[in-house]
Amino acid sequence: MSKNLINWLENLLLWGIIIKLKAMTSFTEENYLKIIYMLTEQNGGNEVSTNELAEITQTKAASVSDMLRKLAEKNLINYRKYQGVTLTKEGQQIALSVIRKHRLWEVFLVDKLGFGWDEIHDIAEQLEHIDSKELTEKLDKFLGSPQFDPHGDPIPDSKGKMPSMASCKLSEVPIDQTVVMVGVLVHSPAFLQHLDKNHITLGSTIKIQEVSEFDKSFTVLLNNNQSVFVSNEVAKNLLVK
Amino acid sequence: MSKNLINWLENLLLWGIIIKLKAMTSFTEENYLKIIYMLTEQNGGNEVSTNELAEITQTKAASVSDMLRKLAEKNLINYRKYQGVTLTKEGQQIALSVIRKHRLWEVFLVDKLGFGWDEIHDIAEQLEHIDSKELTEKLDKFLGSPQFDPHGDPIPDSKGKMPSMASCKLSEVPIDQTVVMVGVLVHSPAFLQHLDKNHITLGSTIKIQEVSEFDKSFTVLLNNNQSVFVSNEVAKNLLVK
DNA sequence: ACTATTTTTTAGGTTTGTCTAAAAATTTGA
DNA sequence: TCAAATTTTTAGACAAACCTAAAAAATAGT
Ligand SMILES: [Mn+2]
Ligand SMILES: [Mn+2]
Ligand SMILES: [Mn+2]
Ligand SMILES: [Mn+2]
């Protein structure tokens, strides 16, 4: 009985079939892991709830429950029923590799192909699942091993280490100070196009000239000497240094 | 009854749901269309059989039958039971777009990232399914609108038109003639690495010095003045001009 | 503390793309 | 030409990833 099982396993090993148990995270599973990673960050390391995941994956809570059971079976997440989830070491590794690929491809699309930063998300959403370590590393070299993507988001290195950079929201900067734009907290085309229209881009120098008492909107001076108006809603989503 | 149906369809249209009937060719469907295109070419325009498809897709004939029924329903293939299939205009368009993407990505991998021509097929097999017209056209520009891929295969333009080039097999070239290597008929890493080892690459000048009576093997002189031995098996799979 | 509400899970189904086994059609060849 | 071999299709199942409806657990409000 048990001897039979061992024989059978040996046979599988011989034929290299055991690999399947190791490899194999589907497109869908990768997306869940990536989203769990990002929501955990946002929650300051706290568990992510089923409903949060359902909302962001555009599916129903029931479907999320199914997937969580499956990911837990594969030891990619820590899952206690009704208590939400966090990633295991292994799950985190996969999530970081997907994020690395996503952001490297975004750099490629903007720097090499000339896309605007508002046009690249959906394409990168597909490219992030291309499975080839050699490709990722060669792409990284080709792009000059960038540390940040076109939105200012950090690109993890091949071991999963994130470059860090102190930054704060423009909305928190006091009057008269001069800062540099280093990132955005919202990636919607509408928001990015709004920034384009106001000539605010990654690397722009921003001097805060005036802050309205009434609505906390800003008037700022850019490096091109243009003075532009920035609503508080926008200022809250701009990262500066 | 029929009025009810029309009402229902109008409702769908109103909500933009009808789009789904038009768009949507899955990864798997795209692969079938591409393979049908290539096998039809190979067969000189004749129908492709279920078993041929089963062989090359690494599935069972029963699964192929299922898929053919489905592709026929979508008007992507001409299918008469037991008689094999050919592509419709629409199916051919999709096939050519997949082939275009495959070959453009191969150029990218070799020219820009420095991969060898024997390492790129599996990666291109994934990249060919990335869905973005703008991406394909920008990639094409970035690469300088190449006409041929790293294996010498023609790259269809955005309308599906293949560049043509007269060529013949090295095995058919008479003694003493000098030709240029322009393509391979086999893409296996083993074959490509064999050519690398013998310094035969796309663009190599080849002068036929000697043809053996016995086994039809060749001794040829390359542009680097090296004299190398080429078996008939290899000569039959080398395209020259 | 104990309902009422919200969140999450379970139960039962669907679709896509695969499989094996068996039936049907076609082709081969004596 | 017609029986045997081959090819192709049909029938019936399964896993993955989704759904709706209903049940169960957790949380909140008085
Ligand atoms: Mn994705
Ligand atoms: Mn980004
Ligand atoms: Mn493919
Ligand atoms: Mn090729």
Side-chain angles (χ1 to χ4, degrees):
Chain A
M1 178 80 181
S2 155
K3 207 169 172 185
N4 220 319
L5 177 66
I6 289 170
N7 251 300
W8 180 72
L9 284 172
E10 273 175 355
N11 243 318
L12 286 182
L13 264 169
L14 216 66
W15 289 91
I17 293 170
I18 236 60
I19 302 161
K20 280 198 178 172
L21 300 176
K22 270 236 156 184
M24 284 308 237
T25 32
S26 71
F27 192 102
T28 311
E29 289 167 336
E30 285 188 357
N31 279 337
Y32 270 91
L33 294 174
K34 185 183 71 165
I35 291 165
I36 293 169
Y37 179 91
M38 288 172 145
L39 288 180
T40 310
E41 290 283 284
Q42 247 179 61
N43 290 358
N46 283 324
E47 285 86 2
V48 179
S49 76
T50 301
N51 263 3
E52 276 180 286
L53 287 169
E55 164 108 50
I56 219 162
T57 56
Q58 303 265 56
T59 61
K60 301 294 146 135
S63 309
V64 173
S65 273
D66 275 358
M67 181 56 82
L68 294 182
R69 191 185 28 66
K70 191 175 144 198
L71 292 173
E73 259 165 30
K74 292 193 174 187
N75 282 309
L76 299 174
I77 59 174
N78 306 115
Y79 177 39
R80 285 151 45 234
K81 276 182 193 170
Y82 295 97
Q83 305 305 151
V85 295
T86 55
L87 294 177
T88 61
K89 268 273 129 60
E90 206 188 332
Q92 199 167 55
Q93 243 184 328
I94 295 172
L96 283 165
S97 133
V98 174
I99 290 169
R100 172 168 167 77
K101 287 185 281 178
H102 185 104
R103 293 179 181 170
L104 284 174
W105 281 116
E106 284 193 343
V107 173
F108 171 72
L109 294 172
V110 169
D111 286 10
K112 302 295 182 179
L113 297 195
F115 277 97
W117 66 346
D118 57 319
E119 307 174 307
I120 56 181
H121 189 80
D122 291 349
I123 303 176
E125 209 55 49
Q126 299 178 62
L127 287 165
E128 73 188 1
H129 301 290
I130 301 292
D131 179 30
S132 164
K133 286 224 166 75
E134 305 81 56
L135 172 57
T136 309
E137 296 323 306
K138 288 201 160 155
L139 179 64
D140 177 67
K141 293 256 158 50
F142 179 61
L143 300 172
S145 297
Q147 304 248 38
F148 299 92
D149 84 3
H151 308 107
D153 293 314
I155 303 176
D157 71 17
S158 60
K159 278 146 195 154
K161 179 134 186 281
M162 284 281 192
S164 63
M165 181 176 51
S167 69
C168 67
K169 298 176 186 172
L170 177 63
S171 58
E172 295 163 348
V173 177
I175 198 161
D176 283 336
Q177 224 179 295
T178 300
V179 293
V180 177
M181 208 286 244
V182 296
V184 291
L185 288 176
V186 161
H187 295 68
S188 73
F191 179 62
L192 299 174
Q193 283 159 23
H194 176 81
L195 295 182
D196 281 342
K197 211 173 300 175
N198 289 280
H199 306 99
I200 299 172
T201 62
L202 227 59
S204 290
T205 296
I206 300 176
K207 176 168 187 190
I208 295 144
Q209 294 185 302
E210 206 184 315
V211 182
S212 154
E213 283 282 318
F214 175 62
D215 64 1
K216 267 139 191 156
S217 66
F218 289 59
T219 309
V220 305
L221 186 70
L222 299 180
N223 41 329
N224 60 359
N225 257 7
Q226 273 191 310
S227 190
V228 305
F229 170 85
V230 178
S231 73
N232 185 258
E233 190 54 33
V234 167
K236 277 193 299 191
N237 288 304
L238 275 181
L239 288 177
V240 298
K241 182 182 72 172
Chain B
M1 177 80 177
S2 154
K3 207 169 172 185
N4 220 317
L5 178 67
I6 288 171
N7 251 300
W8 181 70
L9 284 172
E10 273 176 352
N11 242 318
L12 286 183
L13 265 168
L14 216 65
W15 288 91
I17 292 168
I18 235 62
I19 302 161
K20 280 198 176 172
L21 301 176
K22 271 237 155 182
M24 283 309 237
T25 35
S26 70
F27 193 102
T28 311
E29 290 168 335
E30 285 188 358
N31 279 336
Y32 270 91
L33 294 174
K34 185 183 72 167
I35 290 165
I36 293 168
Y37 179 91
M38 288 172 144
L39 289 179
T40 310
E41 291 283 282
Q42 246 179 59
N43 291 358
N46 283 324
E47 286 85 3
V48 178
S49 76
T50 301
N51 262 3
E52 278 181 284
L53 287 170
E55 165 109 48
I56 219 163
T57 56
Q58 304 266 54
T59 61
K60 302 295 146 134
S63 310
V64 173
S65 273
D66 276 357
M67 181 55 82
L68 295 183
R69 190 184 30 66
K70 190 176 145 197
L71 291 173
E73 261 165 27
K74 291 193 176 188
N75 283 309
L76 299 174
I77 59 174
N78 306 114
Y79 177 39
R80 285 149 45 234
K81 276 182 193 170
Y82 295 97
Q83 305 305 170
V85 295
T86 56
L87 295 176
T88 61
K89 268 272 130 59
E90 205 188 331
Q92 200 167 56
Q93 243 184 325
I94 295 172
L96 284 165
S97 131
V98 174
I99 290 169
R100 171 169 168 78
K101 287 185 281 179
H102 185 105
R103 293 179 180 168
L104 283 175
W105 281 115
E106 285 193 342
V107 173
F108 171 71
L109 294 172
V110 169
D111 286 10
K112 301 294 183 181
L113 296 195
F115 276 98
W117 66 345
D118 57 317
E119 307 174 305
I120 56 181
H121 190 79
D122 291 349
I123 303 176
E125 207 57 47
Q126 299 179 61
L127 287 165
E128 74 189 0
H129 302 290
I130 301 292
D131 179 30
S132 164
K133 286 224 165 76
E134 306 81 57
L135 173 58
T136 308
E137 296 325 306
K138 289 203 158 153
L139 179 65
D140 178 67
K141 294 255 158 49
F142 179 62
L143 300 171
S145 296
Q147 304 247 37
F148 299 92
D149 84 4
H151 307 108
D153 294 314
I155 302 176
D157 71 17
S158 60
K159 278 146 195 153
K161 179 133 185 282
M162 283 279 192
S164 64
M165 179 177 52
S167 69
C168 68
K169 297 175 187 174
L170 178 62
S171 59
E172 294 163 348
V173 176
I175 198 163
D176 282 336
Q177 224 178 296
T178 299
V179 292
V180 177
M181 207 288 243
V182 296
V184 292
L185 288 175
V186 161
H187 296 68
S188 73
F191 178 63
L192 298 174
Q193 283 159 23
H194 176 82
L195 295 182
D196 280 343
K197 211 173 298 176
N198 289 279
H199 307 101
I200 300 173
T201 62
L202 227 61
S204 290
T205 297
I206 299 177
K207 176 169 187 188
I208 294 144
Q209 293 184 303
E210 206 184 316
V211 183
S212 155
E213 285 281 318
F214 175 64
D215 64 0
K216 268 141 188 154
S217 66
F218 289 60
T219 310
V220 304
L221 186 70
L222 300 179
N223 41 329
N224 60 359
N225 257 8
Q226 274 193 309
S227 190
V228 305
F229 170 84
V230 178
S231 73
N232 185 259
E233 190 54 34
V234 167
K236 278 193 298 189
N237 288 305
L238 275 182
L239 288 178
V240 298
K241 184 183 71 172

